[in-house]
Amino acid sequence: MTAQRPELLRLLVTGVHQLTVCARTHYSEPDALDRMRDINEAIHVLSGHLRDLFNENGPLTESRADGIVAALRLLGPS
C-alpha cells in the first residue's frame, strides 16, 4: 500500500511476466489445464490492475491490493 507508483507498476508487470514463465513449467503435467487456468486468471487480474493503475488517478485500494497479493501467491515464496 505504501509503494510508489513506478514500483507498483514494475511489480505488476514483473508478476505478469513471471506467471507466464510459471505456466510454461506446467505444460506436460497431468493437471496442466487446471493449473494454467489458475495462472491465466491471475494474469487477467494483474493486467487489469496494471491497466487501471497506469492512470495516475487510479487508486490503490485495499481490495485492489488484496487481489494483487492473491494473484502473486501463485508464484510461491521465491
Side-chain angles (χ1 to χ4, degrees), residues 12-40:
L12 291 172
V13 75
T14 300
V16 168
H17 178 264
Q18 288 304 112
L19 283 166
T20 65
V21 171
C22 181
R24 291 177 179 168
T25 67
H26 298 288
Y27 285 167
S28 61
E29 293 180 2
D31 64 342
L33 182 59
D34 292 335
R35 185 71 174 147
M36 292 181 71
R37 183 180 296 120
D38 293 342
I39 291 170
N40 185 61

PDB file of all heavy atoms in Angstrom, residues 12-40:
ATOM      1  N   LEU A  12       3.693  -5.244 -10.843  1.00  0.00           N
ATOM      2  CA  LEU A  12       2.618  -5.859 -11.614  1.00  0.00           C
ATOM      3  C   LEU A  12       3.109  -6.438 -12.933  1.00  0.00           C
ATOM      4  O   LEU A  12       2.780  -7.575 -13.279  1.00  0.00           O
ATOM      5  CB  LEU A  12       1.504  -4.843 -11.868  1.00  0.00           C
ATOM      6  CG  LEU A  12       0.718  -4.430 -10.630  1.00  0.00           C
ATOM      7  CD1 LEU A  12      -0.220  -3.273 -10.960  1.00  0.00           C
ATOM      8  CD2 LEU A  12      -0.055  -5.592 -10.069  1.00  0.00           C
ATOM      9  N   VAL A  13       3.906  -5.688 -13.670  1.00  0.00           N
ATOM     10  CA  VAL A  13       4.378  -6.185 -14.959  1.00  0.00           C
ATOM     11  C   VAL A  13       5.351  -7.353 -14.760  1.00  0.00           C
ATOM     12  O   VAL A  13       5.350  -8.312 -15.543  1.00  0.00           O
ATOM     13  CB  VAL A  13       4.979  -5.043 -15.812  1.00  0.00           C
ATOM     14  CG1 VAL A  13       6.344  -4.625 -15.336  1.00  0.00           C
ATOM     15  CG2 VAL A  13       4.963  -5.415 -17.273  1.00  0.00           C
ATOM     16  N   THR A  14       6.146  -7.316 -13.709  1.00  0.00           N
ATOM     17  CA  THR A  14       7.034  -8.439 -13.409  1.00  0.00           C
ATOM     18  C   THR A  14       6.222  -9.666 -13.007  1.00  0.00           C
ATOM     19  O   THR A  14       6.537 -10.788 -13.405  1.00  0.00           O
ATOM     20  CB  THR A  14       8.028  -8.056 -12.293  1.00  0.00           C
ATOM     21  OG1 THR A  14       8.800  -6.941 -12.743  1.00  0.00           O
ATOM     22  CG2 THR A  14       8.955  -9.205 -11.951  1.00  0.00           C
ATOM     23  N   GLY A  15       5.165  -9.457 -12.239  1.00  0.00           N
ATOM     24  CA  GLY A  15       4.297 -10.557 -11.856  1.00  0.00           C
ATOM     25  C   GLY A  15       3.656 -11.227 -13.058  1.00  0.00           C
ATOM     26  O   GLY A  15       3.603 -12.457 -13.142  1.00  0.00           O
ATOM     27  N   VAL A  16       3.175 -10.425 -13.998  1.00  0.00           N
ATOM     28  CA  VAL A  16       2.582 -10.980 -15.222  1.00  0.00           C
ATOM     29  C   VAL A  16       3.624 -11.806 -15.967  1.00  0.00           C
ATOM     30  O   VAL A  16       3.365 -12.936 -16.392  1.00  0.00           O
ATOM     31  CB  VAL A  16       2.012  -9.856 -16.120  1.00  0.00           C
ATOM     32  CG1 VAL A  16       1.670 -10.385 -17.500  1.00  0.00           C
ATOM     33  CG2 VAL A  16       0.790  -9.232 -15.467  1.00  0.00           C
ATOM     34  N   HIS A  17       4.817 -11.255 -16.114  1.00  0.00           N
ATOM     35  CA  HIS A  17       5.880 -11.968 -16.821  1.00  0.00           C
ATOM     36  C   HIS A  17       6.222 -13.279 -16.115  1.00  0.00           C
ATOM     37  O   HIS A  17       6.320 -14.331 -16.746  1.00  0.00           O
ATOM     38  CB  HIS A  17       7.126 -11.078 -16.923  1.00  0.00           C
ATOM     39  CG  HIS A  17       8.260 -11.769 -17.589  1.00  0.00           C
ATOM     40  ND1 HIS A  17       9.258 -12.397 -16.879  1.00  0.00           N
ATOM     41  CD2 HIS A  17       8.544 -11.959 -18.903  1.00  0.00           C
ATOM     42  CE1 HIS A  17      10.115 -12.937 -17.724  1.00  0.00           C
ATOM     43  NE2 HIS A  17       9.705 -12.687 -18.957  1.00  0.00           N
ATOM     44  N   GLN A  18       6.402 -13.235 -14.820  1.00  0.00           N
ATOM     45  CA  GLN A  18       6.763 -14.439 -14.069  1.00  0.00           C
ATOM     46  C   GLN A  18       5.655 -15.489 -14.113  1.00  0.00           C
ATOM     47  O   GLN A  18       5.939 -16.689 -14.123  1.00  0.00           O
ATOM     48  CB  GLN A  18       7.108 -14.081 -12.630  1.00  0.00           C
ATOM     49  CG  GLN A  18       8.436 -13.358 -12.487  1.00  0.00           C
ATOM     50  CD  GLN A  18       9.586 -14.143 -13.079  1.00  0.00           C
ATOM     51  OE1 GLN A  18      10.172 -13.757 -14.069  1.00  0.00           O
ATOM     52  NE2 GLN A  18       9.909 -15.265 -12.469  1.00  0.00           N
ATOM     53  N   LEU A  19       4.408 -15.059 -14.129  1.00  0.00           N
ATOM     54  CA  LEU A  19       3.311 -16.021 -14.243  1.00  0.00           C
ATOM     55  C   LEU A  19       3.346 -16.734 -15.587  1.00  0.00           C
ATOM     56  O   LEU A  19       3.045 -17.930 -15.663  1.00  0.00           O
ATOM     57  CB  LEU A  19       1.963 -15.332 -14.021  1.00  0.00           C
ATOM     58  CG  LEU A  19       1.640 -15.029 -12.561  1.00  0.00           C
ATOM     59  CD1 LEU A  19       0.473 -14.045 -12.473  1.00  0.00           C
ATOM     60  CD2 LEU A  19       1.338 -16.307 -11.780  1.00  0.00           C
ATOM     61  N   THR A  20       3.716 -16.037 -16.662  1.00  0.00           N
ATOM     62  CA  THR A  20       3.818 -16.710 -17.957  1.00  0.00           C
ATOM     63  C   THR A  20       4.946 -17.740 -17.945  1.00  0.00           C
ATOM     64  O   THR A  20       4.815 -18.821 -18.509  1.00  0.00           O
ATOM     65  CB  THR A  20       4.022 -15.724 -19.121  1.00  0.00           C
ATOM     66  OG1 THR A  20       5.271 -15.060 -18.990  1.00  0.00           O
ATOM     67  CG2 THR A  20       2.889 -14.714 -19.196  1.00  0.00           C
ATOM     68  N   VAL A  21       6.040 -17.409 -17.274  1.00  0.00           N
ATOM     69  CA  VAL A  21       7.148 -18.352 -17.138  1.00  0.00           C
ATOM     70  C   VAL A  21       6.689 -19.559 -16.313  1.00  0.00           C
ATOM     71  O   VAL A  21       6.959 -20.712 -16.662  1.00  0.00           O
ATOM     72  CB  VAL A  21       8.382 -17.672 -16.498  1.00  0.00           C
ATOM     73  CG1 VAL A  21       9.452 -18.683 -16.148  1.00  0.00           C
ATOM     74  CG2 VAL A  21       8.930 -16.585 -17.419  1.00  0.00           C
ATOM     75  N   CYS A  22       5.985 -19.303 -15.232  1.00  0.00           N
ATOM     76  CA  CYS A  22       5.466 -20.361 -14.371  1.00  0.00           C
ATOM     77  C   CYS A  22       4.529 -21.284 -15.150  1.00  0.00           C
ATOM     78  O   CYS A  22       4.587 -22.505 -15.008  1.00  0.00           O
ATOM     79  CB  CYS A  22       4.747 -19.726 -13.189  1.00  0.00           C
ATOM     80  SG  CYS A  22       4.072 -20.899 -12.003  1.00  0.00           S
ATOM     81  N   ALA A  23       3.673 -20.720 -15.985  1.00  0.00           N
ATOM     82  CA  ALA A  23       2.730 -21.532 -16.757  1.00  0.00           C
ATOM     83  C   ALA A  23       3.463 -22.511 -17.662  1.00  0.00           C
ATOM     84  O   ALA A  23       3.027 -23.656 -17.831  1.00  0.00           O
ATOM     85  CB  ALA A  23       1.815 -20.628 -17.586  1.00  0.00           C
ATOM     86  N   ARG A  24       4.573 -22.108 -18.205  1.00  0.00           N
ATOM     87  CA  ARG A  24       5.330 -22.980 -19.109  1.00  0.00           C
ATOM     88  C   ARG A  24       5.834 -24.234 -18.414  1.00  0.00           C
ATOM     89  O   ARG A  24       6.014 -25.259 -19.056  1.00  0.00           O
ATOM     90  CB  ARG A  24       6.505 -22.222 -19.697  1.00  0.00           C
ATOM     91  CG  ARG A  24       6.100 -21.151 -20.652  1.00  0.00           C
ATOM     92  CD  ARG A  24       7.292 -20.396 -21.153  1.00  0.00           C
ATOM     93  NE  ARG A  24       6.870 -19.375 -22.100  1.00  0.00           N
ATOM     94  CZ  ARG A  24       7.659 -18.424 -22.533  1.00  0.00           C
ATOM     95  NH1 ARG A  24       8.906 -18.357 -22.126  1.00  0.00           N
ATOM     96  NH2 ARG A  24       7.205 -17.547 -23.381  1.00  0.00           N
ATOM     97  N   THR A  25       6.055 -24.156 -17.122  1.00  0.00           N
ATOM     98  CA  THR A  25       6.562 -25.330 -16.399  1.00  0.00           C
ATOM     99  C   THR A  25       5.486 -26.391 -16.207  1.00  0.00           C
ATOM    100  O   THR A  25       5.799 -27.505 -15.808  1.00  0.00           O
ATOM    101  CB  THR A  25       7.133 -24.931 -15.018  1.00  0.00           C
ATOM    102  OG1 THR A  25       6.067 -24.471 -14.183  1.00  0.00           O
ATOM    103  CG2 THR A  25       8.207 -23.871 -15.140  1.00  0.00           C
ATOM    104  N   HIS A  26       4.244 -26.065 -16.499  1.00  0.00           N
ATOM    105  CA  HIS A  26       3.140 -26.995 -16.273  1.00  0.00           C
ATOM    106  C   HIS A  26       2.619 -27.636 -17.553  1.00  0.00           C
ATOM    107  O   HIS A  26       1.670 -28.409 -17.506  1.00  0.00           O
ATOM    108  CB  HIS A  26       1.987 -26.269 -15.563  1.00  0.00           C
ATOM    109  CG  HIS A  26       2.364 -25.756 -14.221  1.00  0.00           C
ATOM    110  ND1 HIS A  26       2.568 -26.571 -13.138  1.00  0.00           N
ATOM    111  CD2 HIS A  26       2.614 -24.495 -13.789  1.00  0.00           C
ATOM    112  CE1 HIS A  26       2.906 -25.839 -12.095  1.00  0.00           C
ATOM    113  NE2 HIS A  26       2.946 -24.582 -12.467  1.00  0.00           N
ATOM    114  N   TYR A  27       3.210 -27.355 -18.689  1.00  0.00           N
ATOM    115  CA  TYR A  27       2.686 -27.857 -19.965  1.00  0.00           C
ATOM    116  C   TYR A  27       2.491 -29.373 -19.971  1.00  0.00           C
ATOM    117  O   TYR A  27       1.507 -29.858 -20.503  1.00  0.00           O
ATOM    118  CB  TYR A  27       3.603 -27.477 -21.118  1.00  0.00           C
ATOM    119  CG  TYR A  27       3.538 -26.026 -21.547  1.00  0.00           C
ATOM    120  CD1 TYR A  27       4.504 -25.503 -22.381  1.00  0.00           C
ATOM    121  CD2 TYR A  27       2.517 -25.183 -21.138  1.00  0.00           C
ATOM    122  CE1 TYR A  27       4.461 -24.182 -22.803  1.00  0.00           C
ATOM    123  CE2 TYR A  27       2.468 -23.853 -21.548  1.00  0.00           C
ATOM    124  CZ  TYR A  27       3.444 -23.368 -22.378  1.00  0.00           C
ATOM    125  OH  TYR A  27       3.408 -22.060 -22.797  1.00  0.00           O
ATOM    126  N   SER A  28       3.418 -30.118 -19.437  1.00  0.00           N
ATOM    127  CA  SER A  28       3.363 -31.579 -19.552  1.00  0.00           C
ATOM    128  C   SER A  28       2.830 -32.278 -18.301  1.00  0.00           C
ATOM    129  O   SER A  28       2.859 -33.503 -18.226  1.00  0.00           O
ATOM    130  CB  SER A  28       4.751 -32.122 -19.895  1.00  0.00           C
ATOM    131  OG  SER A  28       5.656 -31.785 -18.859  1.00  0.00           O
ATOM    132  N   GLU A  29       2.342 -31.528 -17.342  1.00  0.00           N
ATOM    133  CA  GLU A  29       1.824 -32.142 -16.123  1.00  0.00           C
ATOM    134  C   GLU A  29       0.392 -32.628 -16.326  1.00  0.00           C
ATOM    135  O   GLU A  29      -0.362 -32.053 -17.119  1.00  0.00           O
ATOM    136  CB  GLU A  29       1.871 -31.141 -14.976  1.00  0.00           C
ATOM    137  CG  GLU A  29       3.283 -30.784 -14.564  1.00  0.00           C
ATOM    138  CD  GLU A  29       3.319 -29.796 -13.417  1.00  0.00           C
ATOM    139  OE1 GLU A  29       2.254 -29.405 -12.915  1.00  0.00           O
ATOM    140  OE2 GLU A  29       4.433 -29.404 -13.035  1.00  0.00           O
ATOM    141  N   PRO A  30      -0.012 -33.663 -15.586  1.00  0.00           N
ATOM    142  CA  PRO A  30      -1.368 -34.195 -15.739  1.00  0.00           C
ATOM    143  C   PRO A  30      -2.471 -33.178 -15.417  1.00  0.00           C
ATOM    144  O   PRO A  30      -3.534 -33.207 -16.029  1.00  0.00           O
ATOM    145  CB  PRO A  30      -1.428 -35.351 -14.751  1.00  0.00           C
ATOM    146  CG  PRO A  30      -0.045 -35.608 -14.303  1.00  0.00           C
ATOM    147  CD  PRO A  30       0.784 -34.413 -14.646  1.00  0.00           C
ATOM    148  N   ASP A  31      -2.232 -32.296 -14.472  1.00  0.00           N
ATOM    149  CA  ASP A  31      -3.244 -31.297 -14.105  1.00  0.00           C
ATOM    150  C   ASP A  31      -2.944 -29.936 -14.732  1.00  0.00           C
ATOM    151  O   ASP A  31      -3.310 -28.901 -14.201  1.00  0.00           O
ATOM    152  CB  ASP A  31      -3.348 -31.172 -12.589  1.00  0.00           C
ATOM    153  CG  ASP A  31      -2.068 -30.648 -11.950  1.00  0.00           C
ATOM    154  OD1 ASP A  31      -1.011 -30.695 -12.608  1.00  0.00           O
ATOM    155  OD2 ASP A  31      -2.129 -30.184 -10.806  1.00  0.00           O
ATOM    156  N   ALA A  32      -2.307 -29.956 -15.902  1.00  0.00           N
ATOM    157  CA  ALA A  32      -1.873 -28.716 -16.551  1.00  0.00           C
ATOM    158  C   ALA A  32      -3.039 -27.769 -16.815  1.00  0.00           C
ATOM    159  O   ALA A  32      -2.911 -26.563 -16.605  1.00  0.00           O
ATOM    160  CB  ALA A  32      -1.142 -29.021 -17.858  1.00  0.00           C
ATOM    161  N   LEU A  33      -4.170 -28.306 -17.247  1.00  0.00           N
ATOM    162  CA  LEU A  33      -5.298 -27.438 -17.582  1.00  0.00           C
ATOM    163  C   LEU A  33      -5.768 -26.643 -16.373  1.00  0.00           C
ATOM    164  O   LEU A  33      -5.970 -25.428 -16.457  1.00  0.00           O
ATOM    165  CB  LEU A  33      -6.454 -28.256 -18.149  1.00  0.00           C
ATOM    166  CG  LEU A  33      -7.677 -27.456 -18.582  1.00  0.00           C
ATOM    167  CD1 LEU A  33      -7.315 -26.440 -19.651  1.00  0.00           C
ATOM    168  CD2 LEU A  33      -8.766 -28.395 -19.075  1.00  0.00           C
ATOM    169  N   ASP A  34      -5.923 -27.297 -15.233  1.00  0.00           N
ATOM    170  CA  ASP A  34      -6.361 -26.598 -14.022  1.00  0.00           C
ATOM    171  C   ASP A  34      -5.337 -25.560 -13.592  1.00  0.00           C
ATOM    172  O   ASP A  34      -5.694 -24.430 -13.243  1.00  0.00           O
ATOM    173  CB  ASP A  34      -6.610 -27.586 -12.884  1.00  0.00           C
ATOM    174  CG  ASP A  34      -7.805 -28.475 -13.134  1.00  0.00           C
ATOM    175  OD1 ASP A  34      -8.704 -28.067 -13.902  1.00  0.00           O
ATOM    176  OD2 ASP A  34      -7.836 -29.579 -12.565  1.00  0.00           O
ATOM    177  N   ARG A  35      -4.086 -25.937 -13.582  1.00  0.00           N
ATOM    178  CA  ARG A  35      -3.027 -25.014 -13.144  1.00  0.00           C
ATOM    179  C   ARG A  35      -2.926 -23.824 -14.092  1.00  0.00           C
ATOM    180  O   ARG A  35      -2.804 -22.685 -13.660  1.00  0.00           O
ATOM    181  CB  ARG A  35      -1.696 -25.768 -13.074  1.00  0.00           C
ATOM    182  CG  ARG A  35      -0.570 -24.965 -12.524  1.00  0.00           C
ATOM    183  CD  ARG A  35      -0.733 -24.739 -11.052  1.00  0.00           C
ATOM    184  NE  ARG A  35       0.464 -24.080 -10.582  1.00  0.00           N
ATOM    185  CZ  ARG A  35       0.508 -23.216  -9.615  1.00  0.00           C
ATOM    186  NH1 ARG A  35      -0.573 -22.921  -8.943  1.00  0.00           N
ATOM    187  NH2 ARG A  35       1.623 -22.651  -9.259  1.00  0.00           N
ATOM    188  N   MET A  36      -2.991 -24.091 -15.378  1.00  0.00           N
ATOM    189  CA  MET A  36      -2.875 -22.999 -16.340  1.00  0.00           C
ATOM    190  C   MET A  36      -4.109 -22.100 -16.304  1.00  0.00           C
ATOM    191  O   MET A  36      -4.002 -20.896 -16.530  1.00  0.00           O
ATOM    192  CB  MET A  36      -2.598 -23.546 -17.728  1.00  0.00           C
ATOM    193  CG  MET A  36      -1.188 -24.170 -17.776  1.00  0.00           C
ATOM    194  SD  MET A  36      -0.738 -24.809 -19.374  1.00  0.00           S
ATOM    195  CE  MET A  36      -0.528 -23.304 -20.281  1.00  0.00           C
ATOM    196  N   ARG A  37      -5.265 -22.662 -15.990  1.00  0.00           N
ATOM    197  CA  ARG A  37      -6.473 -21.838 -15.836  1.00  0.00           C
ATOM    198  C   ARG A  37      -6.283 -20.873 -14.674  1.00  0.00           C
ATOM    199  O   ARG A  37      -6.605 -19.685 -14.780  1.00  0.00           O
ATOM    200  CB  ARG A  37      -7.693 -22.718 -15.597  1.00  0.00           C
ATOM    201  CG  ARG A  37      -8.983 -21.921 -15.507  1.00  0.00           C
ATOM    202  CD  ARG A  37     -10.197 -22.800 -15.270  1.00  0.00           C
ATOM    203  NE  ARG A  37     -10.421 -23.699 -16.392  1.00  0.00           N
ATOM    204  CZ  ARG A  37     -10.430 -25.039 -16.318  1.00  0.00           C
ATOM    205  NH1 ARG A  37     -10.234 -25.637 -15.171  1.00  0.00           N
ATOM    206  NH2 ARG A  37     -10.651 -25.771 -17.383  1.00  0.00           N
ATOM    207  N   ASP A  38      -5.739 -21.362 -13.560  1.00  0.00           N
ATOM    208  CA  ASP A  38      -5.471 -20.504 -12.396  1.00  0.00           C
ATOM    209  C   ASP A  38      -4.484 -19.403 -12.745  1.00  0.00           C
ATOM    210  O   ASP A  38      -4.663 -18.239 -12.360  1.00  0.00           O
ATOM    211  CB  ASP A  38      -4.919 -21.327 -11.232  1.00  0.00           C
ATOM    212  CG  ASP A  38      -5.927 -22.300 -10.655  1.00  0.00           C
ATOM    213  OD1 ASP A  38      -7.146 -22.130 -10.898  1.00  0.00           O
ATOM    214  OD2 ASP A  38      -5.485 -23.249  -9.968  1.00  0.00           O
ATOM    215  N   ILE A  39      -3.437 -19.770 -13.468  1.00  0.00           N
ATOM    216  CA  ILE A  39      -2.419 -18.787 -13.852  1.00  0.00           C
ATOM    217  C   ILE A  39      -3.009 -17.761 -14.813  1.00  0.00           C
ATOM    218  O   ILE A  39      -2.747 -16.558 -14.694  1.00  0.00           O
ATOM    219  CB  ILE A  39      -1.185 -19.487 -14.442  1.00  0.00           C
ATOM    220  CG1 ILE A  39      -0.459 -20.265 -13.333  1.00  0.00           C
ATOM    221  CG2 ILE A  39      -0.250 -18.491 -15.114  1.00  0.00           C
ATOM    222  CD1 ILE A  39       0.641 -21.180 -13.826  1.00  0.00           C
ATOM    223  N   ASN A  40      -3.833 -18.208 -15.757  1.00  0.00           N
ATOM    224  CA  ASN A  40      -4.473 -17.280 -16.691  1.00  0.00           C
ATOM    225  C   ASN A  40      -5.353 -16.281 -15.937  1.00  0.00           C
ATOM    226  O   ASN A  40      -5.362 -15.084 -16.263  1.00  0.00           O
ATOM    227  CB  ASN A  40      -5.292 -18.036 -17.731  1.00  0.00           C
ATOM    228  CG  ASN A  40      -5.865 -17.112 -18.765  1.00  0.00           C
ATOM    229  OD1 ASN A  40      -5.126 -16.434 -19.473  1.00  0.00           O
ATOM    230  ND2 ASN A  40      -7.181 -17.060 -18.846  1.00  0.00           N
TER     231      ASN A  40
END
